Amino acid sequence: MIRLGDYNTLKILRRTEPGIYLEGDEKTGDILLPQRYVTPEMQPGEELEVFIYLDQEERIIATTEHPLAKVGEFACLQVAWTNQYGAFLKWGLMKDLFCPFREQKQRMYRDKSYIVYIKIDEASYRLMATAKVEKYLSVPYDETESETADRVPLLKHGDACDCLIWQKTDLGFKTIVNNRYQGQLYDNQIFQPLHTGNRLTAYVDHVRQDGKIDLTLQPTGHRQALDFAEVLLRYLHENGGRCNLGDNSPAELIVDRFHVSKKVYKRAVGDLFRRRIIVITDDGIKLA
């Protein structure tokens, strides 16, 4: 079965002047890969991975280009142009992706970027974007379990996850975790500039009973201290074996220099000291 808005591996049937035709299914028939994407290596009988979408005339067509997102994924897309029906978003293909007014949370404007979810419109069978992303987020619990306070989350403390920065809030940033769940990064856990659309690795701090995930940008607990200890050791080797930050240093100076909390810094110092790699001085630390 052909998956619209997704990658499909299809058999090459024949070469023609417009391009090569790929084997579809009973619903789609043969699918054209236009000549602009054809290479001499593409021969009948071989299989080819292509992305399937609809062209300007709403015909099913193949491309070897890679869009910024496929059906079922979230992405931050820029508005290419607008008309009386909605906005058209750049998503890496020749045909822009339509987001009608009814799927916009606020009016979209040209050259602005928005977090959207890619879907197939059930009524028209067309690909479209929606900015009403909350409807497509799930909770990180096994849905077959009863909704009780003792249910076990699918993600646990310390797990690394993919994080898409969604929107600024009074507490920090809402995020989309692993293309499925809603997460929250708090201001006191952020030690670098963040903007809507940024993708980065985050770590699970806590999964709440409402399904939202509290995140941190550094590995948690002892693992975080061990990771930063190696960063601190490299800093010492690159800066004459000394660092003028110690127990009495303001937390803001540590954040500005290393982008970690004072707690993480002190843990790393303790780890290096126990390993007898450094000594602690009145004005900071130095290599032993």
Side-chain angles (χ1 to χ4, degrees):
M1 180 178 178
I2 299 297
R3 300 184 307 279
L4 181 65
D6 203 343
Y7 296 95
N8 295 253
T9 300
L10 305 178
K11 183 178 179 180
I12 300 175
L13 296 178
R14 60 187 182 278
R15 284 178 170 271
T16 67
E17 186 174 341
I20 62 175
Y21 278 91
L22 307 170
E23 185 176 27
D25 56 24
E26 293 182 358
K27 185 175 181 179
T28 64
D30 298 342
I31 300 173
L32 176 67
L33 177 69
Q35 190 66 45
R36 68 175 66 91
Y37 306 120
V38 176
T39 66
E41 293 78 20
M42 299 177 184
Q43 297 297 325
E46 296 181 352
E47 290 189 333
L48 183 66
E49 183 183 69
V50 291
F51 186 82
I52 302 297
Y53 72 119
L54 302 176
D55 67 8
Q56 300 287 355
E57 299 180 15
E58 305 299 337
R59 297 173 300 190
I60 290 182
I61 199 165
T63 179
T64 53
E65 294 182 320
H66 294 267
L68 298 176
K70 62 181 183 178
V71 165
E73 293 184 344
F74 300 88
C76 184
L77 302 182
Q78 184 182 37
V79 176
W81 56 289
T82 63
N83 64 11
Q84 66 270 35
Y85 303 109
F88 295 82
L89 312 178
K90 300 176 183 178
W91 67 320
L93 300 182
M94 290 192 63
K95 181 186 177 184
D96 297 322
L97 186 65
F98 182 49
C99 184
F101 287 130
R102 70 176 185 274
E103 298 293 343
Q104 299 179 21
K105 294 178 66 175
Q106 57 184 1
R107 183 62 64 92
M108 291 182 170
Y109 293 97
R110 182 176 178 177
D111 296 330
K112 298 290 186 180
S113 296
Y114 303 88
I115 299 293
V116 295
Y117 178 80
I118 316 300
K119 67 172 189 172
I120 297 176
D121 180 47
E122 295 181 359
S124 64
Y125 194 63
R126 295 175 180 174
L127 296 171
M128 73 168 50
T130 176
K132 298 178 180 179
V133 298
E134 295 91 340
K135 295 167 55 177
Y136 303 95
L137 293 169
S138 56
V139 296
Y141 291 103
D142 188 339
E143 297 180 359
T144 62
E145 296 180 2
S146 59
E147 295 188 9
T148 59
D150 60 350
R151 58 184 180 169
V152 178
L154 300 174
L155 295 173
K156 63 182 185 297
H157 176 78
D159 281 352
C161 54
D162 175 71
C163 183
L164 173 64
I165 302 300
W166 177 8
Q167 59 184 235
K168 187 74 176 73
T169 71
D170 293 338
L171 299 176
F173 283 92
K174 285 184 180 180
T175 70
I176 297 173
V177 177
N178 289 350
N179 200 55
R180 296 184 64 184
Y181 313 122
Q182 180 173 329
Q184 177 72 47
L185 274 170
Y186 294 95
D187 281 331
N188 64 357
Q189 294 290 330
I190 299 173
F191 306 109
Q192 65 190 72
L194 292 179
H195 304 282
T196 296
N198 289 161
R199 284 190 181 273
L200 63 163
T201 298
Y203 301 87
V204 176
D205 185 44
H206 175 67
V207 180
R208 292 185 261 160
Q209 284 300 313
D210 63 3
K212 296 181 177 64
I213 304 169
D214 293 337
L215 301 166
T216 175
L217 291 182
Q218 291 82 34
T220 57
H222 184 59
R223 172 184 166 190
Q224 179 183 12
L226 290 178
D227 288 350
F228 177 66
E230 299 307 314
V231 175
L232 182 56
L233 183 58
R234 185 166 63 249
Y235 174 89
L236 290 170
H237 282 294
E238 294 174 354
N239 290 272
R242 291 182 175 272
C243 177
N244 63 347
L245 298 175
D247 280 356
N248 297 322
S249 299
E252 293 79 8
L253 292 180
I254 295 172
V255 170
D256 287 344
R257 188 175 303 180
F258 293 112
H259 307 294
V260 298
S261 67
K262 185 171 182 177
K263 181 179 180 181
V264 171
Y265 180 82
K266 291 175 67 175
R267 281 180 177 172
V269 168
D271 175 70
L272 295 176
F273 180 75
R274 285 188 297 272
R275 290 156 58 188
R276 300 183 179 181
I277 297 175
I278 65 168
V279 294
I280 299 174
T281 65
D282 291 339
D283 60 350
I285 60 175
K286 66 178 182 178
L287 288 173

